[in-house]
Amino acid sequence: MHRYPFTNSIWRQHDTGTPYPSLSVSESTEVVVIGAGIAGLVCAYELQKRGRQVTLLEALEIGHGTTGHTTAKCSVQHGTIYHKLIRHFDESIARLYYEFNSEALVYLKNQIEEGFDCDYANEQSFLYSREPNEELTKELDAYRRLKIDGGEATEEVRKALPFSIEQALVIHDQAQFHPVKYLRELANRFVQHGGKIYENSRATEVSQGPRPVVTTSTGRRVQGNQVVIATHYPFNDLRGLYVSKFSVERSYIVACESGSRPLKGMYLEVGERKRSFRSYEENGKTYLLVGGEGHTAGQVTDTRSRYDRLEHDAQAHFETNRASYRWSSQDLITLDGLPYVGQMFKREPDLFVATGFSKWGMTNGIAAGTLLADQLTGRPNRFVNLVSPLRQTVKSSDISAFLKTNLDTATQFAKGTVDRLLERKNVKDLQLDESGVVQVDGKTSGVYRDLDNQCHVVNLTCTHLGCTVKWNNAERSWDCPCHGSRFDAKGNVLEGPATKPLSYSKREDL
Ligand code: FES
C-alpha cells in the first residue's frame, strides 16, 4: 500500500529550541500576550525591553503555528495589493501600508545587525505572470504613483525562471529568513529580559473589564493590566465581530532538494496558478520551496493531490528530487486587505488584537508587534488608525465581501448536514491511513483508521460554532470549512478559533 508521507515544515524540522514549561500555577503580571507567533513574540519582546512585565502563553509550542508554516519571505510586495488599496481607499492609505511594512523590514534588518541569527538574506522580490495580466500593469502604475523602490523586471525574471514569462515586477532590497530561528531568537532575548513563556498552555477565555483574566484549558489563570490576543484567529470573539470579517484560505508548500544553484530572489505568480518560489540552503543542501494550490479552508479533502502538483511543477521545471518536506498554512483574508491591529472592542480598552495579515504575516506580524508595544507603552505610532480594528471604512465592496463570507459560512453549515448523510461509508471498508464518515453506535461520526489499524472516532460538529468538519487527507486532520478551525485525528485543537477538542474515542473493535 502507498503510504503518503506525513507533513512536516522544513522550518520546524531541526528546531532544537528550549522547551518552555506549561502554566501550572495562576499568576499576575502587567501584560499577558497570547500566541507565540511572530506578532506575539515581537510585541512581548518589545514590551519586556521597555520595562513591562510580560507573560506569554502559547497553546502548543513556539513555531507550531502559522509563522512556522510559511515560505518566510519578508517582503512588502504583497501580491498586487497596492493598486487595490489605491482603488479601495486612496494613494495616501496605500503609501501608509507600504511604509507600515517597510518599517517592519528595517526593524528586522536592525535586529540582524544586533546579531539575531535566523538565516537572513537580502533578496529581490518579484511578481510575474506567464500570460498577459492586467493586474501587473495596474500594479506597476501603483509602484510609480506610490514611489515604491521597484518597477518593471520582465527581462530579469525571464533569465531567472525556466519557463516563459510574459511580464514581471520587482521590489528591491527585501529579505528571506528562517522563521522558527527568528522566533527562537526573540524568545531567548525576551526571557533574558525577564519575560515568562508558557508553552502548551491554551487560553480559552478572557474576562471583560479592568484587569482582565486569561483562563487556560487547565483552569489556570493569568491576570494582567492588558491582554494582547495574537493567536492568528482571535479565539475570544464571542460577539462574532471578527468571524464575519475574514475569509480563510489554505495553501501548500513543498521543499525539494535541488541539484542546481540556489534561485536568486523570491518569486510569486499573479494569475490562476499563483506559484511561489524561493530557495533555502541548509547543511550544504539546497532546497527549492514551491508554494501555491490555495483554496478556501476546510473545503478540500484530497489535499495530497495539491502537494503532488507542486512537487510535479518543481520537477518539471527545475532539477529537483521528490519533496523532502511538505507543509501548509492558513491565512485570514480581511475584507479591505488591511490587518486588524489595536484595541479589539470599543468598550474594552485593555484588550488588544493582532490578526488578519492575509498572506503577508512576516512584515505585517513584525509591524503589528511593534505597533502594539507602542500603544501599550503610550508611544505615538502613525499607523494606529490605518490598521485599527475599530476602523469605520466600510465600502460597498466590503459589504458584498461580508455578505459572501457569511453566505459561504451559512452554506457550509447547511451542507455539512447533507454531507454527513451522503458521504457515509461502512467502517469495515476503511483502509489503513484512511478516514470516512461512518455510523458508530447509531451516530454519524468521523473515523480515521491509523497505520496500526486503530480507529479514532470523533464527533464531526466543530466546537466553535457547530459547522461540520471535513477530513484533510495529507495533514490527517479534521478541518472546519466555516472559520478554519482544525483538529487532529484525536480531536485535539490544531488551529483556532475553536478552543475545545472534538469529542473523541479510540476503538479497536471497528
Ligand atoms: Fe467556526 Fe468551525 S471554525 S464553526
Side-chain angles (χ1 to χ4, degrees):
M1 174 193 171
H2 170 64
R3 288 179 180 168
Y4 201 80
F6 282 79
T7 53
N8 55 346
S9 160
I10 196 169
W11 312 126
R12 287 184 37 79
Q13 197 58 20
H14 306 295
D15 178 23
T16 51
T18 327
Y20 294 95
S22 57
L23 182 70
S24 56
V25 178
S26 297
E27 63 178 51
S28 175
T29 187
E30 284 183 76
V31 183
V32 187
V33 176
I34 308 173
I38 195 164
L41 263 164
V42 168
C43 175
Y45 166 66
E46 273 300 315
L47 286 169
Q48 193 70 42
K49 257 197 343 180
R50 297 179 198 182
R52 294 289 195 276
Q53 182 57 51
V54 181
T55 295
L56 177 59
L57 299 176
E58 164 56 42
L60 298 165
E61 289 140 28
I62 289 174
H64 196 285
T66 310
T67 308
H69 292 85
T70 63
T71 50
K73 298 173 181 172
C74 265
S75 169
V76 302
Q77 191 179 53
H78 296 177
T80 52
I81 195 166
Y82 294 108
H83 85 84
K84 289 175 190 151
L85 289 178
I86 292 173
R87 189 183 64 212
H88 192 90
F89 297 101
D90 55 35
E91 279 184 29
S92 66
I93 294 287
R95 173 76 201 179
L96 205 56
Y97 179 77
Y98 171 67
E99 290 171 6
F100 179 63
N101 283 280
S102 297
E103 287 189 12
L105 202 47
V106 171
Y107 176 87
L108 175 64
K109 287 178 183 177
N110 289 338
Q111 288 180 320
I112 300 305
E113 277 173 22
E114 280 170 36
F116 272 59
D117 174 14
C118 56
D119 300 346
Y120 175 95
N122 249 59
E123 292 287 357
Q124 317 267 55
S125 185
F126 299 97
L127 287 178
Y128 69 91
S129 68
R130 303 191 210 198
E131 287 97 32
N133 190 299
E134 222 183 293
E135 288 278 293
L136 278 184
T137 309
K138 289 182 190 162
E139 193 66 0
L140 178 60
D141 181 51
Y143 285 9
R144 288 186 186 128
R145 289 164 70 180
L146 301 178
K147 302 191 173 29
I148 287 175
D149 178 18
E152 171 71 40
T154 308
E155 285 313 315
E156 205 173 337
V157 175
R158 279 184 182 147
K159 283 182 200 143
L161 295 182
F163 39 78
S164 71
I165 299 292
E166 178 67 27
Q167 192 182 355
L169 307 183
V170 64
I171 294 187
H172 303 295
D173 202 18
Q174 305 298 294
Q176 60 188 25
F177 70 168
H178 187 305
V180 174
K181 285 189 183 175
Y182 180 60
L183 295 184
R184 288 289 174 196
E185 281 277 1
L186 287 167
N188 292 343
R189 288 164 193 250
F190 167 66
V191 171
Q192 280 162 14
H193 280 90
K196 289 185 184 173
I197 299 179
Y198 297 104
E199 290 183 312
N200 297 301
S201 302
R202 182 176 293 281
T204 55
E205 227 180 288
V206 183
S207 69
Q208 294 176 10
R211 292 275 299 159
V213 176
V214 179
T215 307
T216 68
S217 56
T218 56
R220 304 288 181 268
R221 295 161 163 229
V222 189
Q223 186 166 31
N225 298 334
Q226 290 132 337
V227 173
V228 173
I229 316 283
T231 53
H232 193 46
Y233 208 125
F235 70 93
N236 61 325
D237 182 29
L238 299 179
R239 282 159 261 180
L241 297 181
Y242 285 80
V243 290
S244 52
K245 291 183 182 176
F246 299 127
S247 56
V248 188
E249 268 188 48
R250 199 153 190 84
S251 54
Y252 299 84
I253 305 159
V254 296
C256 303
E257 212 179 313
S258 162
S260 47
R261 277 185 307 171
L263 203 55
K264 279 302 294 165
M266 309 173 288
Y267 300 83
L268 176 65
E269 182 171 6
V270 175
E272 277 299 291
R273 274 168 295 204
K274 293 194 173 59
R275 287 287 183 266
S276 139
F277 300 103
R278 67 159 277 195
S279 283
Y280 174 63
E281 291 176 272
E282 183 183 58
N283 299 331
K285 291 181 180 170
T286 299
Y287 294 93
L288 178 72
L289 275 53
V290 186
E293 293 291 323
H295 61 81
T296 305
Q299 296 191 11
V300 171
T301 288
D302 180 20
T303 52
R304 293 178 184 179
S305 59
R306 309 259 159 175
Y307 287 114
D308 292 343
R309 284 199 283 274
L310 293 177
E311 188 181 77
H312 177 265
D313 257 22
Q315 291 180 319
H317 297 297
F318 301 86
E319 281 174 45
T320 61
N321 297 332
R322 301 278 326 256
S324 311
Y325 302 94
R326 298 170 171 78
W327 67 101
S328 61
S329 70
Q330 201 147 286
D331 297 302
L332 301 179
I333 316 293
T334 62
L335 300 181
D336 60 10
L338 298 175
Y340 295 119
V341 185
Q343 188 178 327
M344 186 169 186
F345 300 116
K346 211 169 185 175
R347 300 213 171 108
E348 302 286 342
D350 301 323
L351 204 51
F352 296 82
V353 71
T355 187
F357 302 148
S358 298
K359 292 173 180 293
W360 321 111
M362 298 299 98
T363 53
N364 269 321
I366 292 173
T370 53
L371 185 151
L372 288 172
D374 286 348
Q375 273 192 304
L376 270 69
T377 51
R379 284 193 192 171
N381 184 304
R382 66 199 177 101
F383 303 112
V384 166
N385 293 334
L386 174 77
V387 292
S388 167
L390 308 178
R391 62 184 177 263
Q392 299 284 342
T393 51
V394 180
K395 303 267 171 85
S396 54
S397 51
D398 287 344
I399 293 169
S400 55
F402 170 89
L403 292 174
K404 185 180 172 310
T405 301
N406 286 281
L407 185 65
D408 281 353
T409 302
T411 307
Q412 289 303 323
F413 192 85
K415 193 169 168 286
T417 315
V418 176
D419 287 349
R420 284 189 204 203
L421 296 173
L422 293 181
E423 290 173 6
R424 276 196 298 209
K425 291 181 180 170
N426 189 323
V427 70
K428 298 285 176 215
D429 294 337
L430 290 181
Q431 304 294 308
L432 296 183
D433 197 21
E434 191 185 353
S435 176
V437 177
V438 303
Q439 284 289 102
V440 177
D441 301 336
K443 280 195 206 145
T444 304
S445 305
V447 175
Y448 169 60
R449 188 184 294 282
D450 70 17
L451 294 166
D452 297 318
N453 202 21
Q454 308 279 326
C455 281
H456 303 275
V457 182
V458 298
N459 184 325
L460 291 165
T461 304
C462 176
T463 56
H464 178 226
L465 294 175
C467 289
T468 297
V469 295
K470 282 192 163 195
W471 185 245
N472 170 340
N473 71 355
E475 323 282 337
R476 279 83 167 180
S477 62
W478 294 99
D479 297 358
C480 183
C482 288
H483 315 108
S485 290
R486 297 180 58 240
F487 307 85
D488 70 14
K490 297 180 180 175
N492 299 308
V493 178
L494 292 171
E495 285 190 52
T499 56
K500 295 197 180 106
L502 301 174
S503 76
Y504 164 76
S505 60
K506 183 164 154 185
R507 298 282 294 263
E508 293 174 6
D509 57 326
L510 295 176

